[in-house]
Amino acid sequence: MSIYICIALVIVLVLIFLMRNIKIQQKETGTPFWDIVLILLVFFLLAYILTSLKVFYNTLVKDYIVTTKDMLQILFLFILIMAFFYVLVGFLGKRYTLRVDKFNIGGINVLFDRSNEIYIKTVGTFISSKRSLFNFKRERDNIYEVLNVYYEVYNFIRSNLELLDPIKDKALYSTSVDILKMLNQFLSKHQNDYRRWYEKVISADEIYSHGKKIVVHETTIERVQKNYYRYAEILKDINEVNKYMSSQSIRNVFRIKVFDWEEK
């Protein structure tokens, strides 16, 4: 063995020792710079030693390297095939969903996640931002806009419901269907009548209440809405929706900790 190879071996051992000490000293900081430098030095020194010893010229070593390379290629191909079938079965079984986010500066975000988890995150985030679904304020909320919100929520839940498996996600699916039924009943009962009345009032810009003329654009929305001929009834049903949607069970199902509109 030549003197240069011996020196290289000594340097390798010293570097390994240094790597150990540096690792201990930098345990708190976690800076990997010197680790990377020392690893590269050890790598090139080992390459020099193995080249000097002509290890790779040995027939047994060559055969071993070729065989190992072929086995790794086969193993990699096998892993790819298994991963493909695993994802395919997941999609077919609705265990996973491929979602492409909106375009942004960075391009397209493609996310793989469990379908029910995506449903909870998406629907939970959407409904938690709709205050009138949980807390209607009669002194300032426009019922016409509330109807729009309820209709949006109804369509949003219905369009995302296909992410759920009615059997595997039974509780979540059942709760979602209950919400759809409640909103559908509310909209079927009130939407057409209130929209016709409100649009007529806005168009005329006046209401006659107890023989007195009220100019719509000069008064509050609360005063205008109180003149709706089914005001008490629609208000009662809105409160019922609020009561159900504000229940702890809904919060738990959609993992809502804090509503976006809640006052801190």
Side-chain angles (χ1 to χ4, degrees):
M1 184 182 296
S2 70
I3 185 67
Y4 298 109
I5 296 176
C6 292
I7 293 173
L9 284 172
V10 171
I11 294 174
V12 168
L13 294 174
V14 171
L15 290 175
I16 293 173
F17 178 76
L18 288 174
M19 285 173 61
R20 179 177 176 275
N21 287 344
I22 291 175
K23 190 69 175 176
I24 293 173
Q25 294 174 4
Q26 295 184 343
K27 187 174 182 180
E28 295 183 357
T29 61
T31 305
F33 176 75
W34 289 111
D35 282 346
I36 295 172
V37 172
L38 293 175
I39 289 171
L40 289 174
L41 287 173
V42 170
F43 175 79
F44 287 117
L45 284 170
L46 287 175
Y48 169 76
I49 293 170
L50 292 174
T51 303
S52 300
L53 295 175
K54 298 183 179 180
V55 172
F56 295 107
Y57 289 94
N58 187 287
T59 304
L60 290 176
V61 175
K62 284 183 177 181
D63 292 341
Y64 177 78
I65 292 173
V66 171
T67 303
T68 303
K69 184 186 71 172
D70 292 341
M71 288 180 65
L72 287 174
Q73 289 176 342
I74 294 172
L75 179 63
F76 181 69
L77 180 61
F78 176 76
I79 292 173
L80 285 179
I81 293 173
M82 291 299 295
F84 172 77
F85 280 106
Y86 183 75
V87 172
L88 182 63
V89 171
F91 275 117
L92 294 177
K94 290 190 176 181
R95 290 180 58 201
Y96 298 96
T97 299
L98 175 63
R99 183 179 66 181
V100 182
D101 284 356
K102 295 180 180 179
F103 286 91
N104 53 46
I105 296 176
I108 303 176
N109 296 319
V110 181
L111 303 176
F112 289 91
D113 199 352
R114 291 185 179 275
S115 296
N116 56 357
E117 290 295 325
I118 286 182
Y119 180 85
I120 292 171
K121 292 175 186 176
T122 305
V123 175
T125 300
F126 184 79
I127 66 174
S128 65
S129 65
K130 308 298 181 182
R131 179 183 53 76
S132 61
L133 192 63
F134 304 89
N135 184 19
F136 175 79
K137 296 185 180 297
R138 66 175 70 186
E139 68 276 6
R140 69 182 188 189
D141 285 343
N142 188 328
I143 294 177
Y144 190 90
E145 295 176 358
V146 170
L147 289 169
N148 291 337
V149 169
Y150 288 9
Y151 185 72
E152 287 176 14
V153 172
Y154 175 84
N155 280 334
F156 192 83
I157 293 177
R158 186 179 64 175
S159 63
N160 283 279
L161 197 62
E162 63 182 12
L163 293 173
L164 301 180
D165 187 305
I167 298 175
K168 293 180 181 178
D169 307 308
K170 186 177 180 181
L172 181 57
Y173 189 89
S174 178
T175 300
S176 300
V177 170
D178 288 342
I179 294 174
L180 289 178
K181 288 180 179 178
M182 177 185 63
L183 292 177
N184 182 56
Q185 290 173 0
F186 178 88
L187 292 169
S188 298
K189 182 178 180 181
H190 295 291
Q191 183 170 224
N192 188 42
D193 285 347
Y194 188 84
R195 288 190 186 281
R196 285 190 297 107
W197 175 84
Y198 184 78
E199 288 169 1
K200 173 63 177 176
V201 166
I202 293 298
S203 176
D205 196 31
E206 60 184 25
I207 303 175
Y208 285 89
S209 178
H210 303 292
K212 293 182 179 181
K213 178 180 177 181
I214 300 174
V215 179
V216 172
H217 75 271
E218 293 180 351
T219 191
T220 64
I221 189 65
E222 180 184 16
R223 191 180 178 194
V224 172
Q225 293 175 162
K226 281 184 177 180
N227 289 276
Y228 176 53
Y229 55 90
R230 294 174 62 194
Y231 179 70
E233 186 179 353
I234 194 172
L235 198 63
K236 175 180 175 295
D237 290 344
I238 288 176
N239 290 333
E240 288 296 322
V241 172
N242 289 170
K243 182 179 178 181
Y244 177 77
M245 293 302 297
S246 298
S247 64
Q248 191 60 45
S249 60
I250 295 296
R251 284 181 179 249
N252 293 339
V253 166
F254 292 101
R255 301 173 190 171
I256 301 173
K257 295 182 180 179
V258 179
F259 293 111
D260 296 349
W261 44 265
E262 280 184 323
E263 295 180 0
K264 302 295 186 294

PDB file of all heavy atoms in Angstrom, residues 55-84:
ATOM      1  N   VAL A  55      -9.936  -1.158  -6.996  1.00  0.00           N
ATOM      2  CA  VAL A  55     -10.987  -2.048  -6.512  1.00  0.00           C
ATOM      3  C   VAL A  55     -12.008  -2.350  -7.608  1.00  0.00           C
ATOM      4  O   VAL A  55     -12.464  -3.482  -7.767  1.00  0.00           O
ATOM      5  CB  VAL A  55     -11.696  -1.403  -5.292  1.00  0.00           C
ATOM      6  CG1 VAL A  55     -12.926  -2.208  -4.888  1.00  0.00           C
ATOM      7  CG2 VAL A  55     -10.724  -1.295  -4.137  1.00  0.00           C
ATOM      8  N   PHE A  56     -12.334  -1.328  -8.385  1.00  0.00           N
ATOM      9  CA  PHE A  56     -13.381  -1.504  -9.384  1.00  0.00           C
ATOM     10  C   PHE A  56     -12.921  -2.240 -10.640  1.00  0.00           C
ATOM     11  O   PHE A  56     -13.702  -2.473 -11.548  1.00  0.00           O
ATOM     12  CB  PHE A  56     -13.954  -0.125  -9.769  1.00  0.00           C
ATOM     13  CG  PHE A  56     -14.647   0.553  -8.630  1.00  0.00           C
ATOM     14  CD1 PHE A  56     -14.063   1.634  -7.989  1.00  0.00           C
ATOM     15  CD2 PHE A  56     -15.872   0.097  -8.175  1.00  0.00           C
ATOM     16  CE1 PHE A  56     -14.686   2.256  -6.933  1.00  0.00           C
ATOM     17  CE2 PHE A  56     -16.514   0.721  -7.122  1.00  0.00           C
ATOM     18  CZ  PHE A  56     -15.906   1.799  -6.480  1.00  0.00           C
ATOM     19  N   TYR A  57     -11.646  -2.577 -10.656  1.00  0.00           N
ATOM     20  CA  TYR A  57     -11.142  -3.391 -11.770  1.00  0.00           C
ATOM     21  C   TYR A  57     -11.315  -4.874 -11.485  1.00  0.00           C
ATOM     22  O   TYR A  57     -11.142  -5.704 -12.367  1.00  0.00           O
ATOM     23  CB  TYR A  57      -9.667  -3.077 -12.023  1.00  0.00           C
ATOM     24  CG  TYR A  57      -9.442  -1.713 -12.640  1.00  0.00           C
ATOM     25  CD1 TYR A  57      -9.171  -0.614 -11.841  1.00  0.00           C
ATOM     26  CD2 TYR A  57      -9.532  -1.527 -14.020  1.00  0.00           C
ATOM     27  CE1 TYR A  57      -8.972   0.642 -12.390  1.00  0.00           C
ATOM     28  CE2 TYR A  57      -9.342  -0.268 -14.580  1.00  0.00           C
ATOM     29  CZ  TYR A  57      -9.059   0.809 -13.759  1.00  0.00           C
ATOM     30  OH  TYR A  57      -8.873   2.048 -14.295  1.00  0.00           O
ATOM     31  N   ASN A  58     -11.614  -5.195 -10.270  1.00  0.00           N
ATOM     32  CA  ASN A  58     -11.815  -6.588  -9.877  1.00  0.00           C
ATOM     33  C   ASN A  58     -13.110  -7.120 -10.485  1.00  0.00           C
ATOM     34  O   ASN A  58     -14.156  -6.468 -10.439  1.00  0.00           O
ATOM     35  CB  ASN A  58     -11.874  -6.671  -8.339  1.00  0.00           C
ATOM     36  CG  ASN A  58     -11.915  -8.115  -7.863  1.00  0.00           C
ATOM     37  OD1 ASN A  58     -12.923  -8.773  -8.008  1.00  0.00           O
ATOM     38  ND2 ASN A  58     -10.805  -8.571  -7.313  1.00  0.00           N
ATOM     39  N   THR A  59     -13.065  -8.312 -11.075  1.00  0.00           N
ATOM     40  CA  THR A  59     -14.217  -8.891 -11.758  1.00  0.00           C
ATOM     41  C   THR A  59     -15.399  -9.099 -10.819  1.00  0.00           C
ATOM     42  O   THR A  59     -16.550  -8.810 -11.173  1.00  0.00           O
ATOM     43  CB  THR A  59     -13.838 -10.238 -12.397  1.00  0.00           C
ATOM     44  OG1 THR A  59     -12.733 -10.061 -13.270  1.00  0.00           O
ATOM     45  CG2 THR A  59     -15.020 -10.809 -13.183  1.00  0.00           C
ATOM     46  N   LEU A  60     -15.113  -9.583  -9.612  1.00  0.00           N
ATOM     47  CA  LEU A  60     -16.189  -9.821  -8.653  1.00  0.00           C
ATOM     48  C   LEU A  60     -16.889  -8.522  -8.272  1.00  0.00           C
ATOM     49  O   LEU A  60     -18.120  -8.468  -8.167  1.00  0.00           O
ATOM     50  CB  LEU A  60     -15.620 -10.495  -7.388  1.00  0.00           C
ATOM     51  CG  LEU A  60     -15.153 -11.944  -7.552  1.00  0.00           C
ATOM     52  CD1 LEU A  60     -14.521 -12.453  -6.254  1.00  0.00           C
ATOM     53  CD2 LEU A  60     -16.323 -12.850  -7.954  1.00  0.00           C
ATOM     54  N   VAL A  61     -16.099  -7.467  -8.077  1.00  0.00           N
ATOM     55  CA  VAL A  61     -16.677  -6.169  -7.727  1.00  0.00           C
ATOM     56  C   VAL A  61     -17.530  -5.635  -8.866  1.00  0.00           C
ATOM     57  O   VAL A  61     -18.626  -5.106  -8.674  1.00  0.00           O
ATOM     58  CB  VAL A  61     -15.571  -5.167  -7.357  1.00  0.00           C
ATOM     59  CG1 VAL A  61     -16.176  -3.781  -7.119  1.00  0.00           C
ATOM     60  CG2 VAL A  61     -14.819  -5.620  -6.128  1.00  0.00           C
ATOM     61  N   LYS A  62     -17.011  -5.774 -10.100  1.00  0.00           N
ATOM     62  CA  LYS A  62     -17.766  -5.319 -11.271  1.00  0.00           C
ATOM     63  C   LYS A  62     -19.103  -6.040 -11.382  1.00  0.00           C
ATOM     64  O   LYS A  62     -20.151  -5.420 -11.591  1.00  0.00           O
ATOM     65  CB  LYS A  62     -16.956  -5.561 -12.547  1.00  0.00           C
ATOM     66  CG  LYS A  62     -15.836  -4.569 -12.778  1.00  0.00           C
ATOM     67  CD  LYS A  62     -15.176  -4.865 -14.102  1.00  0.00           C
ATOM     68  CE  LYS A  62     -14.084  -3.841 -14.420  1.00  0.00           C
ATOM     69  NZ  LYS A  62     -13.446  -4.122 -15.725  1.00  0.00           N
ATOM     70  N   ASP A  63     -19.048  -7.366 -11.248  1.00  0.00           N
ATOM     71  CA  ASP A  63     -20.279  -8.159 -11.346  1.00  0.00           C
ATOM     72  C   ASP A  63     -21.270  -7.781 -10.244  1.00  0.00           C
ATOM     73  O   ASP A  63     -22.486  -7.697 -10.480  1.00  0.00           O
ATOM     74  CB  ASP A  63     -19.955  -9.655 -11.252  1.00  0.00           C
ATOM     75  CG  ASP A  63     -19.179 -10.150 -12.471  1.00  0.00           C
ATOM     76  OD1 ASP A  63     -19.219  -9.455 -13.506  1.00  0.00           O
ATOM     77  OD2 ASP A  63     -18.542 -11.201 -12.376  1.00  0.00           O
ATOM     78  N   TYR A  64     -20.744  -7.548  -9.061  1.00  0.00           N
ATOM     79  CA  TYR A  64     -21.605  -7.174  -7.931  1.00  0.00           C
ATOM     80  C   TYR A  64     -22.286  -5.821  -8.187  1.00  0.00           C
ATOM     81  O   TYR A  64     -23.483  -5.666  -7.935  1.00  0.00           O
ATOM     82  CB  TYR A  64     -20.774  -7.107  -6.644  1.00  0.00           C
ATOM     83  CG  TYR A  64     -21.555  -6.657  -5.447  1.00  0.00           C
ATOM     84  CD1 TYR A  64     -22.401  -7.528  -4.781  1.00  0.00           C
ATOM     85  CD2 TYR A  64     -21.463  -5.334  -5.004  1.00  0.00           C
ATOM     86  CE1 TYR A  64     -23.136  -7.095  -3.690  1.00  0.00           C
ATOM     87  CE2 TYR A  64     -22.190  -4.901  -3.916  1.00  0.00           C
ATOM     88  CZ  TYR A  64     -23.027  -5.784  -3.249  1.00  0.00           C
ATOM     89  OH  TYR A  64     -23.747  -5.355  -2.178  1.00  0.00           O
ATOM     90  N   ILE A  65     -21.515  -4.867  -8.700  1.00  0.00           N
ATOM     91  CA  ILE A  65     -22.072  -3.537  -8.973  1.00  0.00           C
ATOM     92  C   ILE A  65     -23.147  -3.601 -10.045  1.00  0.00           C
ATOM     93  O   ILE A  65     -24.218  -2.995  -9.921  1.00  0.00           O
ATOM     94  CB  ILE A  65     -20.951  -2.561  -9.397  1.00  0.00           C
ATOM     95  CG1 ILE A  65     -20.019  -2.289  -8.204  1.00  0.00           C
ATOM     96  CG2 ILE A  65     -21.537  -1.252  -9.927  1.00  0.00           C
ATOM     97  CD1 ILE A  65     -18.806  -1.471  -8.559  1.00  0.00           C
ATOM     98  N   VAL A  66     -22.883  -4.356 -11.127  1.00  0.00           N
ATOM     99  CA  VAL A  66     -23.860  -4.484 -12.213  1.00  0.00           C
ATOM    100  C   VAL A  66     -25.136  -5.147 -11.711  1.00  0.00           C
ATOM    101  O   VAL A  66     -26.257  -4.710 -12.007  1.00  0.00           O
ATOM    102  CB  VAL A  66     -23.254  -5.287 -13.383  1.00  0.00           C
ATOM    103  CG1 VAL A  66     -24.340  -5.603 -14.418  1.00  0.00           C
ATOM    104  CG2 VAL A  66     -22.119  -4.505 -14.031  1.00  0.00           C
ATOM    105  N   THR A  67     -24.965  -6.236 -10.940  1.00  0.00           N
ATOM    106  CA  THR A  67     -26.126  -6.951 -10.406  1.00  0.00           C
ATOM    107  C   THR A  67     -26.942  -6.059  -9.468  1.00  0.00           C
ATOM    108  O   THR A  67     -28.178  -6.025  -9.533  1.00  0.00           O
ATOM    109  CB  THR A  67     -25.670  -8.210  -9.641  1.00  0.00           C
ATOM    110  OG1 THR A  67     -24.899  -9.032 -10.504  1.00  0.00           O
ATOM    111  CG2 THR A  67     -26.880  -8.998  -9.143  1.00  0.00           C
ATOM    112  N   THR A  68     -26.225  -5.332  -8.595  1.00  0.00           N
ATOM    113  CA  THR A  68     -26.917  -4.429  -7.664  1.00  0.00           C
ATOM    114  C   THR A  68     -27.685  -3.353  -8.414  1.00  0.00           C
ATOM    115  O   THR A  68     -28.827  -3.013  -8.073  1.00  0.00           O
ATOM    116  CB  THR A  68     -25.904  -3.767  -6.711  1.00  0.00           C
ATOM    117  OG1 THR A  68     -25.178  -4.783  -6.012  1.00  0.00           O
ATOM    118  CG2 THR A  68     -26.618  -2.871  -5.699  1.00  0.00           C
ATOM    119  N   LYS A  69     -27.063  -2.791  -9.461  1.00  0.00           N
ATOM    120  CA  LYS A  69     -27.724  -1.761 -10.257  1.00  0.00           C
ATOM    121  C   LYS A  69     -28.991  -2.300 -10.917  1.00  0.00           C
ATOM    122  O   LYS A  69     -30.046  -1.645 -10.896  1.00  0.00           O
ATOM    123  CB  LYS A  69     -26.766  -1.241 -11.330  1.00  0.00           C
ATOM    124  CG  LYS A  69     -27.343  -0.079 -12.147  1.00  0.00           C
ATOM    125  CD  LYS A  69     -26.428   0.305 -13.287  1.00  0.00           C
ATOM    126  CE  LYS A  69     -26.456  -0.782 -14.364  1.00  0.00           C
ATOM    127  NZ  LYS A  69     -25.721  -0.380 -15.592  1.00  0.00           N
ATOM    128  N   ASP A  70     -28.906  -3.525 -11.474  1.00  0.00           N
ATOM    129  CA  ASP A  70     -30.071  -4.125 -12.119  1.00  0.00           C
ATOM    130  C   ASP A  70     -31.187  -4.381 -11.105  1.00  0.00           C
ATOM    131  O   ASP A  70     -32.375  -4.162 -11.384  1.00  0.00           O
ATOM    132  CB  ASP A  70     -29.678  -5.428 -12.807  1.00  0.00           C
ATOM    133  CG  ASP A  70     -28.761  -5.195 -14.006  1.00  0.00           C
ATOM    134  OD1 ASP A  70     -28.741  -4.052 -14.507  1.00  0.00           O
ATOM    135  OD2 ASP A  70     -28.067  -6.138 -14.420  1.00  0.00           O
ATOM    136  N   MET A  71     -30.797  -4.850  -9.928  1.00  0.00           N
ATOM    137  CA  MET A  71     -31.795  -5.124  -8.896  1.00  0.00           C
ATOM    138  C   MET A  71     -32.472  -3.835  -8.421  1.00  0.00           C
ATOM    139  O   MET A  71     -33.680  -3.816  -8.179  1.00  0.00           O
ATOM    140  CB  MET A  71     -31.136  -5.825  -7.703  1.00  0.00           C
ATOM    141  CG  MET A  71     -30.743  -7.280  -7.985  1.00  0.00           C
ATOM    142  SD  MET A  71     -29.962  -8.063  -6.560  1.00  0.00           S
ATOM    143  CE  MET A  71     -31.320  -8.066  -5.400  1.00  0.00           C
ATOM    144  N   LEU A  72     -31.686  -2.765  -8.290  1.00  0.00           N
ATOM    145  CA  LEU A  72     -32.261  -1.492  -7.887  1.00  0.00           C
ATOM    146  C   LEU A  72     -33.240  -0.956  -8.930  1.00  0.00           C
ATOM    147  O   LEU A  72     -34.279  -0.385  -8.601  1.00  0.00           O
ATOM    148  CB  LEU A  72     -31.146  -0.462  -7.640  1.00  0.00           C
ATOM    149  CG  LEU A  72     -30.322  -0.662  -6.364  1.00  0.00           C
ATOM    150  CD1 LEU A  72     -29.163   0.324  -6.328  1.00  0.00           C
ATOM    151  CD2 LEU A  72     -31.192  -0.498  -5.124  1.00  0.00           C
ATOM    152  N   GLN A  73     -32.909  -1.146 -10.213  1.00  0.00           N
ATOM    153  CA  GLN A  73     -33.804  -0.714 -11.282  1.00  0.00           C
ATOM    154  C   GLN A  73     -35.124  -1.480 -11.237  1.00  0.00           C
ATOM    155  O   GLN A  73     -36.200  -0.906 -11.389  1.00  0.00           O
ATOM    156  CB  GLN A  73     -33.131  -0.906 -12.641  1.00  0.00           C
ATOM    157  CG  GLN A  73     -31.990   0.072 -12.909  1.00  0.00           C
ATOM    158  CD  GLN A  73     -31.279  -0.208 -14.214  1.00  0.00           C
ATOM    159  OE1 GLN A  73     -31.395  -1.309 -14.772  1.00  0.00           O
ATOM    160  NE2 GLN A  73     -30.523   0.765 -14.709  1.00  0.00           N
ATOM    161  N   ILE A  74     -35.012  -2.807 -11.017  1.00  0.00           N
ATOM    162  CA  ILE A  74     -36.217  -3.639 -10.922  1.00  0.00           C
ATOM    163  C   ILE A  74     -37.043  -3.238  -9.709  1.00  0.00           C
ATOM    164  O   ILE A  74     -38.274  -3.124  -9.765  1.00  0.00           O
ATOM    165  CB  ILE A  74     -35.844  -5.129 -10.846  1.00  0.00           C
ATOM    166  CG1 ILE A  74     -35.190  -5.571 -12.166  1.00  0.00           C
ATOM    167  CG2 ILE A  74     -37.074  -5.984 -10.553  1.00  0.00           C
ATOM    168  CD1 ILE A  74     -34.613  -6.978 -12.128  1.00  0.00           C
ATOM    169  N   LEU A  75     -36.347  -3.001  -8.579  1.00  0.00           N
ATOM    170  CA  LEU A  75     -37.039  -2.601  -7.360  1.00  0.00           C
ATOM    171  C   LEU A  75     -37.743  -1.256  -7.543  1.00  0.00           C
ATOM    172  O   LEU A  75     -38.893  -1.084  -7.115  1.00  0.00           O
ATOM    173  CB  LEU A  75     -36.034  -2.517  -6.199  1.00  0.00           C
ATOM    174  CG  LEU A  75     -36.606  -2.078  -4.841  1.00  0.00           C
ATOM    175  CD1 LEU A  75     -37.630  -3.095  -4.362  1.00  0.00           C
ATOM    176  CD2 LEU A  75     -35.480  -1.937  -3.826  1.00  0.00           C
ATOM    177  N   PHE A  76     -37.063  -0.313  -8.184  1.00  0.00           N
ATOM    178  CA  PHE A  76     -37.646   1.010  -8.427  1.00  0.00           C
ATOM    179  C   PHE A  76     -38.883   0.904  -9.315  1.00  0.00           C
ATOM    180  O   PHE A  76     -39.910   1.543  -9.063  1.00  0.00           O
ATOM    181  CB  PHE A  76     -36.601   1.916  -9.071  1.00  0.00           C
ATOM    182  CG  PHE A  76     -37.085   3.309  -9.337  1.00  0.00           C
ATOM    183  CD1 PHE A  76     -37.341   4.186  -8.284  1.00  0.00           C
ATOM    184  CD2 PHE A  76     -37.297   3.755 -10.635  1.00  0.00           C
ATOM    185  CE1 PHE A  76     -37.798   5.474  -8.519  1.00  0.00           C
ATOM    186  CE2 PHE A  76     -37.754   5.033 -10.867  1.00  0.00           C
ATOM    187  CZ  PHE A  76     -38.004   5.901  -9.822  1.00  0.00           C
ATOM    188  N   LEU A  77     -38.799   0.066 -10.368  1.00  0.00           N
ATOM    189  CA  LEU A  77     -39.934  -0.141 -11.262  1.00  0.00           C
ATOM    190  C   LEU A  77     -41.101  -0.781 -10.513  1.00  0.00           C
ATOM    191  O   LEU A  77     -42.258  -0.389 -10.694  1.00  0.00           O
ATOM    192  CB  LEU A  77     -39.511  -1.027 -12.440  1.00  0.00           C
ATOM    193  CG  LEU A  77     -40.599  -1.335 -13.483  1.00  0.00           C
ATOM    194  CD1 LEU A  77     -41.087  -0.049 -14.134  1.00  0.00           C
ATOM    195  CD2 LEU A  77     -40.058  -2.290 -14.536  1.00  0.00           C
ATOM    196  N   PHE A  78     -40.786  -1.730  -9.644  1.00  0.00           N
ATOM    197  CA  PHE A  78     -41.822  -2.404  -8.863  1.00  0.00           C
ATOM    198  C   PHE A  78     -42.526  -1.415  -7.931  1.00  0.00           C
ATOM    199  O   PHE A  78     -43.762  -1.424  -7.806  1.00  0.00           O
ATOM    200  CB  PHE A  78     -41.191  -3.540  -8.053  1.00  0.00           C
ATOM    201  CG  PHE A  78     -42.159  -4.246  -7.148  1.00  0.00           C
ATOM    202  CD1 PHE A  78     -43.091  -5.147  -7.657  1.00  0.00           C
ATOM    203  CD2 PHE A  78     -42.135  -4.003  -5.780  1.00  0.00           C
ATOM    204  CE1 PHE A  78     -43.987  -5.794  -6.811  1.00  0.00           C
ATOM    205  CE2 PHE A  78     -43.034  -4.640  -4.935  1.00  0.00           C
ATOM    206  CZ  PHE A  78     -43.962  -5.542  -5.451  1.00  0.00           C
ATOM    207  N   ILE A  79     -41.737  -0.540  -7.302  1.00  0.00           N
ATOM    208  CA  ILE A  79     -42.308   0.471  -6.401  1.00  0.00           C
ATOM    209  C   ILE A  79     -43.225   1.427  -7.164  1.00  0.00           C
ATOM    210  O   ILE A  79     -44.307   1.795  -6.697  1.00  0.00           O
ATOM    211  CB  ILE A  79     -41.190   1.253  -5.684  1.00  0.00           C
ATOM    212  CG1 ILE A  79     -40.450   0.322  -4.704  1.00  0.00           C
ATOM    213  CG2 ILE A  79     -41.749   2.473  -4.946  1.00  0.00           C
ATOM    214  CD1 ILE A  79     -39.234   0.960  -4.076  1.00  0.00           C
ATOM    215  N   LEU A  80     -42.793   1.832  -8.371  1.00  0.00           N
ATOM    216  CA  LEU A  80     -43.616   2.727  -9.194  1.00  0.00           C
ATOM    217  C   LEU A  80     -44.944   2.070  -9.565  1.00  0.00           C
ATOM    218  O   LEU A  80     -46.003   2.710  -9.503  1.00  0.00           O
ATOM    219  CB  LEU A  80     -42.862   3.120 -10.461  1.00  0.00           C
ATOM    220  CG  LEU A  80     -41.741   4.156 -10.316  1.00  0.00           C
ATOM    221  CD1 LEU A  80     -41.087   4.401 -11.665  1.00  0.00           C
ATOM    222  CD2 LEU A  80     -42.303   5.470  -9.767  1.00  0.00           C
ATOM    223  N   ILE A  81     -44.887   0.792  -9.951  1.00  0.00           N
ATOM    224  CA  ILE A  81     -46.102   0.064 -10.337  1.00  0.00           C
ATOM    225  C   ILE A  81     -47.050  -0.056  -9.139  1.00  0.00           C
ATOM    226  O   ILE A  81     -48.259   0.176  -9.256  1.00  0.00           O
ATOM    227  CB  ILE A  81     -45.758  -1.328 -10.895  1.00  0.00           C
ATOM    228  CG1 ILE A  81     -45.001  -1.186 -12.228  1.00  0.00           C
ATOM    229  CG2 ILE A  81     -47.015  -2.164 -11.092  1.00  0.00           C
ATOM    230  CD1 ILE A  81     -44.472  -2.491 -12.780  1.00  0.00           C
ATOM    231  N   MET A  82     -46.491  -0.406  -7.976  1.00  0.00           N
ATOM    232  CA  MET A  82     -47.307  -0.550  -6.775  1.00  0.00           C
ATOM    233  C   MET A  82     -47.928   0.790  -6.372  1.00  0.00           C
ATOM    234  O   MET A  82     -49.095   0.855  -5.983  1.00  0.00           O
ATOM    235  CB  MET A  82     -46.450  -1.105  -5.626  1.00  0.00           C
ATOM    236  CG  MET A  82     -46.018  -2.553  -5.812  1.00  0.00           C
ATOM    237  SD  MET A  82     -47.425  -3.686  -5.914  1.00  0.00           S
ATOM    238  CE  MET A  82     -48.099  -3.520  -4.267  1.00  0.00           C
ATOM    239  N   ALA A  83     -47.126   1.856  -6.480  1.00  0.00           N
ATOM    240  CA  ALA A  83     -47.633   3.189  -6.128  1.00  0.00           C
ATOM    241  C   ALA A  83     -48.771   3.598  -7.068  1.00  0.00           C
ATOM    242  O   ALA A  83     -49.771   4.173  -6.637  1.00  0.00           O
ATOM    243  CB  ALA A  83     -46.504   4.209  -6.185  1.00  0.00           C
ATOM    244  N   PHE A  84     -48.610   3.277  -8.369  1.00  0.00           N
ATOM    245  CA  PHE A  84     -49.640   3.611  -9.352  1.00  0.00           C
ATOM    246  C   PHE A  84     -50.953   2.906  -9.028  1.00  0.00           C
ATOM    247  O   PHE A  84     -52.021   3.527  -9.009  1.00  0.00           O
ATOM    248  CB  PHE A  84     -49.175   3.220 -10.751  1.00  0.00           C
ATOM    249  CG  PHE A  84     -50.244   3.361 -11.810  1.00  0.00           C
ATOM    250  CD1 PHE A  84     -50.583   4.604 -12.313  1.00  0.00           C
ATOM    251  CD2 PHE A  84     -50.913   2.242 -12.278  1.00  0.00           C
ATOM    252  CE1 PHE A  84     -51.575   4.736 -13.279  1.00  0.00           C
ATOM    253  CE2 PHE A  84     -51.903   2.360 -13.243  1.00  0.00           C
ATOM    254  CZ  PHE A  84     -52.228   3.614 -13.737  1.00  0.00           C
TER     255      PHE A  84
END
